[in-house]
C-alpha cells in the first residue's frame, strides 16, 4: 500500500484505495462495450474481428496504465467511437484506402499529436479555451453522453419525421433501463457508495432472470493478434488525399481529447482559479502515445473517454482509477464473455446518469454576456446533434471569434483562440 500511496497520493487527494477501485469498475462497465463495438466496425474493412478485439483490449490496457501512472488522472482510454467510424466509412469505403493504409494514417496522426503534446503549443491551445466555452463543452459532452445512452437503452429511437422519437416504453429492456437510472439516482441521493456499479449489476441480474439479458459465459481463449499487428502500409504517404486524412484525424482526435480532458478536469477539481488545467501536459502526452500504440496493434485512434465521468461521479480522483480500468480490460482477454453479458440497457442508463453530472457545467457560464453564453451553448447543442465533440468545439470557436470581432470585443480574443478558430474553419472547408 505504501507504493500505491507514493504513486497516486491518495491521502493528498482525500480518497482511498477502495473508492478508486470501485470508481475504476464504474468507468469500465460503462465503456466495456468498446471491446465488441470497435472490432465490429473495423472488421467491415476486412480486418480480422478477433485480432481487432485483442488489439482493442491491449491498446486500452496500455493507454490506461500510461495515463494513470504518468499523469495520475482518473481518465480511461480506449479506441474512440466516431474515429473508428471515420476510419471505416470515410477513409476505407469513402476514399478507397486499404485498412493497412488507414492504420498508417492513424500512426502519422499520433506522431503529430505527440509533437504537439511535447511542445508549448499543447498547453497553450488547451488553456486558451475561454472559460465559458470550457463549461459549454463540458455540458455538450454531457448531452452527447445522454443521447448515446438513451439510444443504447432504447428510450430514444430513430424517427424519419422528427429525427428522433420515443422508444417502446412497454419493452422489458426499456423498463429495465429506466429502473437502472432510477436506482442510480436513488442510491446516489442516499450516499450509497458504488451506486452506478450496484445498479448495473442489479438490473443485469434481473435481465438474466427474466430472459432479457443473455449470459455469454465466463472464459474464452485468447485469439491471435497477428492478422493486424504491425500491418501499417505507408505506400501512399506522399499523396495529398492521404495528408488530408492524417490532418483530419489529428484535428478530431486533438479536440475530442481537449474537450474530454478539460471537462473531466473541471469535474475533478484540476482547473485553477484562472481557468488553466493543471498538469495537462502529461495527460495529453499519454493520449498521443496511446494512439501510436493502438495503430501498431491494429486499431483506430485510442483516446480519452468521456465515460470516465462514471468513475469521477463515484469519487475517483487519481490515476489509480485509470490503472484499475486497464487491469479490468486486460482480464477480459480471458473473461470476454462475462464482460459481454452486461446488457446495453444497463450501460445506456449509466451514460444518461453520468450526463447529468456533466451538465452541471452550465451553471458556471457567464450568463451576463451573450457573446460568452451563446457560443458556449452552441457547442453544447451541436455535439449531441452531430454525434461529434470536435464539431461542437470547432463551430463554437468560429462563432465566438466572429461574434467578439463584430461586437467590438477584440480584446477578449488571444492568438490561440484565433488560431483554433482558423484551424476549425479550414477543417470544415477541406474535410
Amino acid at each position: 500500500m505504501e507504493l500505491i500511496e507514493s504513486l497516486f497520493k491518495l491521502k493528498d487527494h482525500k480518497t482511498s484505495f477502495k473508492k478508486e477501485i470501485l470508481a475504476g469498475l464504474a468507468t469500465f462497465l460503462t465503456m466495456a462495450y468498446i471491446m465488441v463495438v470497435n472490432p465490429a466496425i473495423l472488421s467491415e474493412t476486412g480486418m480480422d474481428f478477433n485480432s481487432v478485439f485483442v488489439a482493442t483490449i491491449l491498446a486500452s490496457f496500455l493507454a490506461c496504465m500510461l495515463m494513470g501512472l504518468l499523469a495520475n488522472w482518473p481518465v480511461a482510454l480506449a479506441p474512440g467511437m466516431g474515429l473508428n467510424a471515420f476510419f471505416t466509412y470515410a477513409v476505407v469505403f469513402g476514399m478507397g484506402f486499404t485498412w493497412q493504409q488507414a492504420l498508417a494514417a492513424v500512426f502519422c496522426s499520433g506522431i503529430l499529436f505527440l509533437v504537439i503534446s511535447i511542445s508549448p503549443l499543447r498547453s497553450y491551445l488547451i488553456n486558451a479555451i475561454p472559460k465559458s466555452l470550457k463549461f459549454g463543452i463540458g455540458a455538450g459532452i454531457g448531452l452527447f453522453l445522454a443521447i448515446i445512452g438513451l439510444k443504447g437503452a432504447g428510450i430514444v429511437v430513430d424517427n424519419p419525421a422528427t429525427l428522433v422519437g420515443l422508444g417502446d416504453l412497454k419493452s422489458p429492456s426499456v423498463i429495465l433501463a429506466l429502473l437502472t437510472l432510477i436506482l442510480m439516482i436513488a442510491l446516489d441521493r442516499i450516499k450509497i457508495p458504488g451506486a452506478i456499479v450496484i445498479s448495473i449489476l442489479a438490473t443485469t441480474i434481473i435481465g438474466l432472470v427474466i430472459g432479457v439479458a443473455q449470459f455469454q459465459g465466463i472464459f474464452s481463449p485468447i485469439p491471435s493478434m497477428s492478422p493486424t499487428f504491425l500491418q501499417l502500409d505507408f505506400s501512399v504517404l506522399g499523396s495529398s488525399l492521404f495528408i488530408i486524412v492524417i490532418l483530419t484525424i489529428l484535428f478530431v482526435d486533438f479536440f475530442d481529447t481537449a474537450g474530454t480532458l478539460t471537462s473531466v478536469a473541471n469535474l475533478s477539481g484540476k482547473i485553477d482559479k484562472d481557468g488553466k488545467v493543471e498538469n495537462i501536459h502529461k495527460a495529453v502526452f499519454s493520449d498521443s502515445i496511446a494512439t501510436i500504440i493502438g495503430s501498431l496493434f491494429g486499431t483506430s485512434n485510442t483516446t480519452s473517454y468521456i465515460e470516465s465521468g462514471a468513475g469521477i461521479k463515484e469519487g475517483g480522483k487519481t490515476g489509480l482509477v485509470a490503472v484499475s480500468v486497464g487491469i479490468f480490460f486486460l482480464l477480459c482477454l480471458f473473461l470476454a464473455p462475462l464482460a459481454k453479458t452486461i446488457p446495453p440497457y444497463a450501460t445506456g442508463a449509466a451514460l444518461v446518469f453520468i450526463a447529468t453530472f456533466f451538465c452541471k457545467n452550465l451553471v458556471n457560464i457567464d450568463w451576463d454576456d451573450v457573446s460568452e453564453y451563446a457560443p458556449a451553448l452552441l457547442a453544447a447543442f451541436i455535439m449531441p446533434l452531430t454525434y461529434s465533440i470536435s464539431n461542437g468545439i470547432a463551430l463554437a470557436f468560429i462563432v465566438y471569434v466572429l461574434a467578439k470581432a463584430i461586437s467590438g470585443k477584440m480584446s477578449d480574443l488571444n492568438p490561440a483562440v484565433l488560431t483554433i478558430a482558423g484551424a476549425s474553419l479550414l477543417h470544415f472547408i477541406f474535410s
Side-chain angles (χ1 to χ4, degrees), residues 303-354:
T303 188
S304 301
Y305 258 59
I306 49 180
E307 284 87 346
S308 301
I312 295 171
K313 187 71 178 70
E314 290 286 13
K317 296 180 180 179
T318 75
L320 183 55
V321 175
V323 168
S324 62
V325 173
I327 292 172
F328 289 132
F329 266 113
L330 192 63
L331 289 174
C332 285
L333 283 175
F334 309 93
L335 303 173
L338 192 60
K340 294 175 185 176
T341 298
I342 304 296
Y345 66 74
T347 55
L351 293 180
V352 175
F353 181 63
I354 301 160

Side-chain angles (χ1 to χ4, degrees), residues 276-304:
K276 296 187 181 300
V277 183
E278 300 172 5
N279 207 26
I280 188 67
H281 58 291
K282 292 181 179 178
V284 178
F285 176 79
S286 301
D287 197 295
S288 62
I289 291 293
T291 286
I292 296 171
I293 293 172
S295 68
L296 296 175
F297 286 163
T299 183
S300 52
N301 296 64
T302 303
T303 188
S304 301

Side-chain angles (χ1 to χ4, degrees), residues 261-276:
L261 291 180
T262 52
S263 299
V264 168
N266 183 58
L267 295 176
S268 57
K270 292 185 180 294
I271 295 182
D272 63 24
K273 57 183 175 58
D274 297 320
K276 296 187 181 300

Side-chain angles (χ1 to χ4, degrees), residues 50 136 146 154 160-161 188 205 222 224 239 245 251 278 280 290 341 369 382 394 414 428:
N50 290 327
D188 187 70
I205 292 172
I222 302 175
S224 169
S239 74
V245 170
F251 182 92
E278 300 172 5
I280 188 67
T341 298
D369 186 344
I382 292 296
N414 57 50
F428 286 125

Side-chain angles (χ1 to χ4, degrees), residues 153-164:
I155 299 171
V156 165
V157 296
D158 296 335
N159 186 305
T162 60
L163 294 182
V164 293

Side-chain angles (χ1 to χ4, degrees), residues 11-289:
K11 291 180 182 178
D12 291 347
H13 287 86
K14 297 180 181 179
T15 185
S16 66
F17 178 82
K18 179 181 178 181
K19 182 180 289 187
E20 297 294 287
I21 298 300
L22 191 60
L25 180 59
T27 294
F28 171 75
L29 289 177
T30 59
M31 61 186 289
Y33 67 86
I34 196 62
M35 291 185 295
V36 179
V37 175
N38 192 55
I41 292 174
L42 296 188
S43 64
E44 292 188 39
T45 67
M47 300 177 75
D48 181 76
F49 181 97
N50 290 327
S51 180
V52 177
F53 170 78
V54 177
T56 299
I57 288 177
L58 291 181
S60 302
F61 165 70
L62 290 174
C64 287
M65 297 299 286
L66 191 62
M67 180 67 79
L69 295 172
L70 179 62
N72 199 22
W73 274 49
V75 175
L77 302 93
M81 289 296 295
L83 286 162
N84 52 12
F86 178 77
F87 180 104
T88 297
Y89 305 115
V91 179
V92 177
F93 291 163
M95 301 178 190
F97 290 108
T98 66
W99 61 262
Q100 293 92 338
Q101 292 166 341
L103 283 178
V106 172
F107 176 84
C108 291
S109 74
I111 294 295
L112 291 176
F113 197 173
L114 177 61
V115 171
I116 293 174
S117 73
I118 60 178
S119 72
L121 185 62
R122 164 214 60 225
S123 298
Y124 182 61
L125 290 175
I126 292 178
N127 284 324
I129 299 175
K131 274 189 176 181
S132 288
L133 286 188
K134 276 191 174 83
F135 295 130
I137 290 166
I141 285 175
L143 295 174
F144 185 36
L145 276 175
I147 196 167
I148 293 173
L150 291 168
K151 185 175 183 295
I155 299 171
V156 165
V157 296
D158 296 335
N159 186 305
T162 60
L163 294 182
V164 293
L166 187 65
D168 181 8
L169 295 184
K170 296 178 183 178
S171 166
S173 62
V174 173
I175 293 172
L176 284 173
L178 292 171
L179 176 61
T180 307
L181 180 60
I182 292 167
L183 277 174
M184 288 176 185
I185 295 170
L187 293 177
D188 187 70
R189 178 65 183 84
I190 59 178
K191 309 296 183 185
I192 299 296
I196 295 174
V197 175
I198 292 171
S199 302
I200 288 175
L201 295 179
T203 56
T204 295
I205 292 172
I206 294 172
L208 290 171
V209 171
I210 66 175
V212 176
Q214 302 298 320
F215 181 65
Q216 302 291 330
I218 299 177
F219 299 104
S220 64
I222 302 175
S224 169
M225 196 172 64
S226 59
T228 61
F229 184 62
L230 298 180
Q231 295 298 309
L232 295 75
D233 178 2
F234 294 94
S235 61
V236 291
L237 184 59
S239 74
S240 58
L241 186 59
F242 191 72
I243 292 171
I244 290 173
V245 170
I246 293 170
L247 294 177
T248 301
I249 293 173
L250 173 65
F251 182 92
V252 175
D253 196 11
F254 181 81
F255 284 107
D256 274 7
T257 297
T260 299
L261 291 180
T262 52
S263 299
V264 168
N266 183 58
L267 295 176
S268 57
K270 292 185 180 294
I271 295 182
D272 63 24
K273 57 183 175 58
D274 297 320
K276 296 187 181 300
V277 183
E278 300 172 5
N279 207 26
I280 188 67
H281 58 291
K282 292 181 179 178
V284 178
F285 176 79
S286 301
D287 197 295
S288 62
I289 291 293

